[in-house]
Amino acid sequence: MLTQSHRYRDIEREAVYLQPEKCIPPPAQDFMDKVWFIKDCCGIACAVVTWLLVFYAEFVVIFIMLLPSKDVIYSIINGIIFNILAFLALASHFRAMITDPGAVPKGNATKEFIESLQLKPGQVVYKCPKCCSIKPDRAHHCSVCKRCIRKMDHHCPWVNNCVGENNQKFFVLFTMYISLISLHALLMVALHFLYCFEEDWTKCSSFSPPTTVILLIMLCFEGLLFLIFTAVMFGTQVHSICTDETGIEQLKKEERRWAKKTRWMNLKAVFGHPFSIGWLSPLATPEKGKADPYQYVV
């Protein structure tokens, strides 16, 4: 029995449905149009809140816990670790937000483009009626980005972008570094509470005891919440990569039509070839193979 998604795609098989004469190539883009940034109020607000929460954690860790500490070595080591993790988390977030996740060229369902595919008898292509694009295999339309995204996993408002073929590495690193920085902050909060209980509260912080307690409790709540959320998201993303099945494909239970590869090959497809320290760096863009010119054809 065919599912609703299968019936919908069967409609797209009809040549009349493509209607290439109604698709007009998009106008030439200026510099600002070439910069990938989703103008979504909710996504922008979530992205700003994410950065503010990291800066709040930075403030509490540095000015409440580390600077007042009498152990200089402890403060230096933990300060370096926390700031490195914070930089990597924000850099990963920024790259995930401004990287084109794999958008299909808009308005490419023209008669000229379809003829250039040189379709053979029995071969079909799929057209997205929303953005007038010829959809490659495993591409899905995002209502927020208003584009079809190759290997779209989901749209994440916290990075104000879709998670797709080209930016999944940065999203995975973002969730990993946020979970690590949250765990690190929770450990320091626990140690600071023990230190303040043993010592005079007026000496363990440059702020008043009530202010110190409130700021530490807020950081503890933030760290615990984000640790659980990002750790779960990191695990689901790694599982999705290893099984080579996006979140949307799992949700819709789509039929697997692509070749099965090993988990190691799937990881290299996302993080780049070959394995290197660049896998952990949000500054390194993964090297991937060239796009298949026949990826539009089924």
Side-chain angles (χ1 to χ4, degrees):
M1 184 176 180
L2 293 178
T3 64
Q4 183 177 357
S5 61
H6 287 146
R7 288 197 298 268
Y8 179 75
R9 292 182 74 86
D10 281 341
I11 294 175
E12 294 176 327
R13 291 175 183 271
E14 299 178 13
V16 179
Y17 186 82
L18 289 175
Q19 298 178 327
E21 65 278 359
K22 293 187 178 182
C23 290
I24 303 174
Q29 295 180 330
D30 56 22
F31 174 75
M32 291 305 297
D33 292 329
K34 294 180 180 179
V35 177
W36 184 268
F37 183 77
I38 304 302
K39 300 177 180 64
D40 175 57
C41 294
C42 177
I44 294 174
C46 289
V48 171
V49 168
T50 301
W51 281 62
L52 290 178
L53 289 174
V54 174
F55 288 144
Y56 170 77
E58 181 82 17
F59 169 78
V60 175
V61 168
I62 299 299
F63 293 98
I64 302 296
M65 292 188 286
L66 296 184
L67 287 181
S69 177
K70 297 178 182 179
D71 192 337
V72 179
I73 297 178
Y74 170 85
S75 298
I76 293 176
I77 293 176
N78 282 280
I80 292 175
I81 294 175
F82 189 86
N83 279 280
I84 289 176
L85 290 176
F87 169 77
L88 291 172
L90 292 179
S92 300
H93 181 274
F94 185 72
R95 290 298 303 274
M97 182 170 57
I98 66 165
T99 299
D100 181 346
V104 178
K106 196 172 184 179
N108 70 346
T110 60
K111 183 178 180 181
E112 293 76 16
F113 181 77
I114 296 175
E115 289 177 350
S116 69
L117 295 177
Q118 298 179 347
L119 299 177
K120 298 178 181 179
Q123 290 182 321
V124 295
V125 292
Y126 299 122
K127 172 195 170 183
C128 176
K130 298 178 181 178
C131 59
C132 207
S133 300
I134 297 298
K135 296 171 65 174
D137 194 24
R138 305 184 69 183
H140 293 85
H141 185 86
C142 174
S143 58
V144 180
C145 298
K146 296 180 176 59
R147 298 285 293 274
C148 284
I149 308 297
R150 294 192 302 271
K151 291 187 69 174
M152 175 183 169
D153 187 86
H154 69 288
H155 183 92
C156 179
W158 294 105
V159 297
N160 189 35
N161 201 359
C162 273
V163 178
E165 186 177 68
N166 294 340
N167 69 341
Q168 189 172 24
K169 170 195 173 180
F170 305 124
F171 182 76
V172 172
L173 292 181
F174 167 66
T175 58
M176 182 182 73
Y177 288 126
I178 287 293
S179 61
L180 289 177
I181 197 176
S182 299
L183 178 62
H184 188 211
L186 287 173
L187 292 175
M188 285 191 290
V189 168
L191 292 175
H192 198 71
F193 266 120
L194 292 176
Y195 170 74
C196 290
F197 280 131
E198 294 177 356
E199 299 289 335
D200 187 357
W201 276 88
T202 58
K203 296 181 180 180
C204 70
S205 173
S206 56
F207 293 82
S208 64
T211 302
T212 300
V213 172
I214 292 174
L215 292 175
L216 289 177
I217 291 177
M218 289 178 62
L219 178 61
C220 188
F221 177 76
E222 175 193 340
L224 185 61
L225 182 65
F226 275 87
L227 173 61
I228 295 174
F229 177 76
T230 55
V232 171
M233 183 60 71
F234 173 76
T236 57
Q237 284 293 301
V238 172
H239 177 265
S240 175
I241 293 171
C242 290
T243 58
D244 192 21
E245 192 175 21
T246 66
I248 289 183
E249 291 166 347
Q250 294 176 13
L251 185 64
K252 292 185 175 182
K253 297 181 180 180
E254 295 186 357
E255 180 184 358
R256 192 183 188 98
R257 299 181 304 275
W258 53 94
K260 188 175 182 180
K261 297 178 290 185
T262 64
R263 294 181 179 182
W264 184 245
M265 288 297 295
N266 292 330
L267 286 171
K268 289 197 293 184
V270 172
F271 290 93
H273 302 271
F275 171 76
S276 67
I277 193 65
W279 280 28
L280 302 177
S281 173
L283 305 179
T285 302
E287 296 182 5
K288 299 181 180 181
K290 296 181 180 179
D292 183 3
Y294 296 100
Q295 61 182 332
Y296 297 93
V297 180
V298 177

